[in-house]
Coordinates of all heavy atoms in Angstrom, one line a residue:
A1 N 175.5 75.2 125.1 CA 175.6 76.6 125.4 C 177.0 77.1 125.0 O 178.0 76.3 125.0 CB 175.4 76.9 126.9
A2 N 177.2 78.4 124.7 CA 178.4 78.9 124.3 C 178.9 80.0 125.2 O 178.1 80.8 125.7 CB 178.3 79.4 122.8
T3 N 180.3 80.1 125.3 CA 180.9 81.1 126.2 C 181.8 82.0 125.3 O 182.5 81.5 124.4 CB 181.8 80.4 127.2 OG1 181.1 79.4 127.9 CG2 182.4 81.4 128.1
E4 N 181.7 83.3 125.5 CA 182.4 84.3 124.8 C 183.8 84.5 125.4 O 183.9 84.5 126.6 CB 181.6 85.6 124.8 CG 182.2 86.7 123.9 CD 181.3 88.0 123.9 OE1 180.4 88.0 124.7 OE2 181.6 88.8 123.0
V5 N 184.8 84.8 124.5 CA 186.1 85.1 125.0 C 186.4 86.6 124.8 O 187.3 87.1 125.5 CB 187.2 84.3 124.3 CG1 187.0 82.8 124.6 CG2 187.3 84.5 122.8
S6 N 185.8 87.3 123.9 CA 186.0 88.7 123.7 C 185.7 89.4 125.0 O 184.7 89.1 125.7 CB 185.1 89.2 122.5 OG 185.4 88.6 121.3
R7 N 186.4 90.5 125.2 CA 186.2 91.2 126.5 C 185.2 92.3 126.3 O 185.4 93.5 126.5 CB 187.6 91.9 126.9 CG 188.6 90.8 127.2 CD 188.3 90.0 128.4 NE 188.1 90.7 129.6 CZ 187.6 90.2 130.8 NH1 187.2 88.9 130.8 NH2 187.5 90.9 131.9
G8 N 184.0 91.8 126.1 CA 182.8 92.7 125.9 C 181.5 91.9 126.1 O 181.5 90.7 126.2
K9 N 180.5 92.7 126.3 CA 179.1 92.1 126.4 C 178.2 92.9 125.5 O 177.2 93.4 126.0 CB 178.7 92.0 127.8 CG 178.8 93.3 128.6 CD 178.3 93.1 130.0 CE 178.4 94.5 130.8 NZ 177.8 94.3 132.2
D10 N 178.6 93.1 124.2 CA 178.0 94.0 123.4 C 177.6 93.3 122.0 O 178.1 92.2 121.8 CB 178.8 95.2 123.1 CG 180.2 94.8 122.7 OD1 180.4 94.6 121.5 OD2 181.1 94.8 123.5
T11 N 176.9 94.1 121.2 CA 176.5 93.5 119.9 C 177.6 93.2 119.0 O 177.7 92.0 118.5 CB 175.5 94.5 119.2 OG1 174.3 94.6 120.0 CG2 175.1 94.1 117.8
P12 N 178.6 94.1 118.7 CA 179.6 93.7 117.7 C 180.5 92.5 118.2 O 180.7 91.6 117.5 CB 180.5 95.0 117.6 CG 179.6 96.1 118.0 CD 178.7 95.5 119.0
S13 N 180.9 92.5 119.5 CA 181.7 91.5 120.0 C 181.0 90.1 119.9 O 181.6 89.1 119.4 CB 182.1 91.7 121.5 OG 182.8 92.9 121.7
G14 N 179.7 90.1 120.3 CA 179.0 88.8 120.2 C 178.8 88.3 118.8 O 179.1 87.1 118.5
H15 N 178.4 89.2 117.9 CA 178.1 88.7 116.6 C 179.4 88.4 115.8 O 179.4 87.4 115.1 CB 177.3 89.8 115.8 CG 175.9 89.9 116.1 ND1 175.4 90.5 117.3 CD2 174.8 89.4 115.5 CE1 174.1 90.4 117.3 NE2 173.7 89.8 116.2
W16 N 180.4 89.2 116.0 CA 181.7 88.9 115.3 C 182.2 87.5 115.7 O 182.7 86.7 114.9 CB 182.7 89.9 115.5 CG 182.4 91.3 115.0 CD1 181.4 91.7 114.2 CD2 183.3 92.4 115.1 NE1 181.5 93.0 113.9 CE2 182.6 93.5 114.5 CE3 184.4 92.7 115.8 CZ2 183.1 94.8 114.4 CZ3 185.0 94.0 115.8 CH2 184.3 95.0 115.1
E17 N 182.2 87.3 117.0 CA 182.7 86.0 117.5 C 181.8 84.8 117.1 O 182.3 83.8 116.8 CB 182.8 86.1 119.1 CG 183.7 84.9 119.6 CD 184.1 85.2 121.1 OE1 184.3 86.3 121.5 OE2 184.2 84.2 121.8
L18 N 180.5 85.0 117.1 CA 179.6 84.0 116.5 C 180.0 83.7 115.0 O 179.8 82.6 114.6 CB 178.2 84.4 116.6 CG 177.5 84.4 118.0 CD1 176.2 85.0 118.0 CD2 177.4 82.9 118.6
A19 N 180.4 84.7 114.4 CA 180.8 84.6 113.0 C 182.3 84.2 112.8 O 182.8 84.3 111.7 CB 180.5 85.9 112.2
G20 N 183.0 83.8 113.9 CA 184.3 83.2 113.8 C 185.4 84.2 114.1 O 186.6 83.7 114.0
V21 N 185.2 85.4 114.5 CA 186.2 86.4 114.7 C 186.1 87.0 116.1 O 185.4 88.0 116.3 CB 186.2 87.5 113.6 CG1 187.3 88.5 113.9 CG2 186.3 86.9 112.2
P22 N 186.9 86.5 117.1 CA 186.9 87.2 118.4 C 187.5 88.6 118.3 O 188.3 88.8 117.4 CB 187.8 86.3 119.3 CG 187.8 84.9 118.6 CD 187.6 85.3 117.1
V23 N 187.1 89.5 119.2 CA 187.7 90.8 119.1 C 189.1 90.8 119.7 O 189.2 90.4 120.9 CB 186.7 91.8 119.9 CG1 187.3 93.2 119.9 CG2 185.3 91.8 119.3
P24 N 190.1 91.3 119.0 CA 191.5 91.2 119.5 C 191.9 92.4 120.3 O 193.1 92.4 120.8 CB 192.3 91.1 118.2 CG 191.5 91.9 117.2 CD 190.0 91.7 117.6
W25 N 191.0 93.4 120.5 CA 191.4 94.5 121.3 C 190.4 94.8 122.4 O 189.4 94.2 122.5 CB 191.5 95.8 120.3 CG 190.2 96.0 119.6 CD1 189.0 96.4 120.1 CD2 190.0 95.9 118.2 NE1 188.1 96.5 119.1 CE2 188.6 96.2 117.9 CE3 190.8 95.5 117.1 CZ2 188.1 96.2 116.7 CZ3 190.2 95.4 115.8 CH2 188.9 95.8 115.6
K26 N 190.8 95.7 123.3 CA 189.9 96.2 124.3 C 189.1 97.4 123.8 O 189.7 98.3 123.2 CB 190.7 96.6 125.6 CG 191.2 95.4 126.3 CD 191.9 95.9 127.6 CE 192.4 94.7 128.4 NZ 193.1 95.1 129.7
W27 N 187.8 97.4 123.9 CA 187.0 98.5 123.5 C 187.2 99.7 124.4 O 187.6 99.5 125.6 CB 185.5 98.1 123.5 CG 185.1 97.1 122.6 CD1 184.7 95.8 122.9 CD2 185.0 97.2 121.1 NE1 184.4 95.1 121.7 CE2 184.5 95.9 120.6 CE3 185.3 98.2 120.2 CZ2 184.3 95.7 119.3 CZ3 185.1 98.0 118.9 CH2 184.6 96.7 118.4
H28 N 187.0 100.9 123.9 CA 187.0 102.1 124.7 C 185.6 102.3 125.3 O 184.6 102.3 124.6 CB 187.4 103.3 123.9 CG 187.4 104.6 124.6 ND1 188.5 105.0 125.4 CD2 186.5 105.6 124.7 CE1 188.2 106.1 126.0 NE2 187.0 106.5 125.6
Y29 N 185.6 102.6 126.6 CA 184.3 102.9 127.3 C 184.4 104.3 127.9 O 185.5 104.7 128.4 CB 184.1 101.8 128.4 CG 184.0 100.4 127.9 CD1 185.1 99.6 127.9 CD2 182.8 99.9 127.4 CE1 185.0 98.3 127.4 CE2 182.7 98.6 126.9 CZ 183.8 97.8 126.9 OH 183.7 96.5 126.4
F30 N 183.3 105.0 127.8 CA 183.3 106.3 128.4 C 182.9 106.2 129.9 O 182.1 105.4 130.3 CB 182.2 107.2 127.7 CG 182.6 107.4 126.2 CD1 181.9 106.8 125.2 CD2 183.6 108.3 125.9 CE1 182.2 107.1 123.9 CE2 184.0 108.5 124.6 CZ 183.3 107.9 123.6
P31 N 183.5 107.1 130.7 CA 183.3 107.0 132.2 C 181.8 107.4 132.5 O 181.2 108.2 131.9 CB 184.3 108.0 132.7 CG 184.5 109.0 131.6 CD 184.4 108.2 130.4
D32 N 181.3 106.8 133.6 CA 180.0 107.1 134.1 C 180.0 108.3 135.0 O 179.9 108.2 136.2 CB 179.4 105.9 134.8 CG 177.9 106.0 135.1 OD1 177.3 107.1 134.7 OD2 177.4 105.1 135.8
E33 N 180.2 109.4 134.3 CA 180.3 110.7 135.0 C 179.7 111.8 134.0 O 179.5 111.5 132.9 CB 181.7 111.0 135.4 CG 182.7 111.0 134.3 CD 184.1 111.1 134.8 OE1 184.5 110.4 135.7 OE2 184.9 111.8 134.1
I34 N 179.5 113.0 134.6 CA 179.0 114.1 133.7 C 180.1 115.2 133.8 O 180.4 115.7 134.9 CB 177.7 114.6 134.2 CG1 176.6 113.5 134.1 CG2 177.2 115.8 133.4 CD1 175.3 113.9 134.7
P35 N 180.7 115.6 132.6 CA 180.4 115.1 131.3 C 181.1 113.7 131.1 O 182.2 113.5 131.6 CB 181.0 116.2 130.4 CG 182.1 116.8 131.2 CD 181.6 116.7 132.6
A36 N 180.5 112.9 130.2 CA 181.0 111.6 129.9 C 182.0 111.7 128.8 O 182.9 110.8 128.7 CB 179.9 110.6 129.6
F37 N 181.9 112.7 127.9 CA 182.8 112.7 126.7 C 183.8 113.8 126.9 O 183.6 114.9 127.4 CB 181.9 113.0 125.5 CG 180.7 112.1 125.4 CD1 179.4 112.6 125.3 CD2 180.9 110.7 125.4 CE1 178.3 111.8 125.2 CE2 179.8 109.9 125.3 CZ 178.5 110.4 125.2
P38 N 185.0 113.5 126.3 CA 186.1 114.5 126.4 C 185.8 115.7 125.5 O 185.0 115.6 124.5 CB 187.3 113.7 125.8 CG 186.8 112.6 125.1 CD 185.5 112.2 125.7
P39 N 186.3 116.9 125.8 CA 186.0 118.1 125.0 C 186.2 118.0 123.5 O 185.4 118.6 122.8 CB 186.9 119.1 125.6 CG 187.3 118.6 127.0 CD 187.3 117.1 126.9
E40 N 187.2 117.2 123.1 CA 187.5 117.1 121.7 C 186.3 116.4 120.9 O 186.0 116.7 119.8 CB 188.8 116.5 121.4 CG 189.0 115.1 121.9 CD 189.5 115.0 123.3 OE1 189.4 116.0 124.1 OE2 190.1 113.9 123.6
I41 N 185.7 115.4 121.6 CA 184.6 114.8 120.9 C 183.4 115.7 120.9 O 182.7 115.8 119.8 CB 184.2 113.4 121.6 CG1 185.3 112.4 121.5 CG2 182.9 112.9 121.1 CD1 185.1 111.1 122.2
T42 N 183.1 116.4 122.0 CA 182.0 117.3 122.0 C 182.1 118.4 120.9 O 181.2 118.8 120.2 CB 181.8 117.9 123.4 OG1 181.6 116.9 124.4 CG2 180.7 118.9 123.5

């Protein structure tokens, strides 16, 4: 069994690390609130 070191539980983190490249940064996550996205993205 294998253990991930990247600070995520998502598709890119898992696949990149399986392919030899742990994610060196923290991903940005949107808050669980409404609205979830800042006005500039909308």
Side-chain angles (χ1 to χ4, degrees):
T3 306
E4 186 175 12
V5 299
S6 301
R7 296 298 295 171
K9 50 179 180 177
D10 53 81
T11 294
S13 297
H15 282 78
W16 293 358
E17 195 166 324
L18 288 169
V21 181
V23 178
W25 56 68
K26 290 185 178 180
W27 295 110
H28 178 82
Y29 300 94
F30 294 108
D32 190 1
E33 57 190 41
I34 299 175
F37 308 124
E40 59 270 22
I41 292 179
T42 301

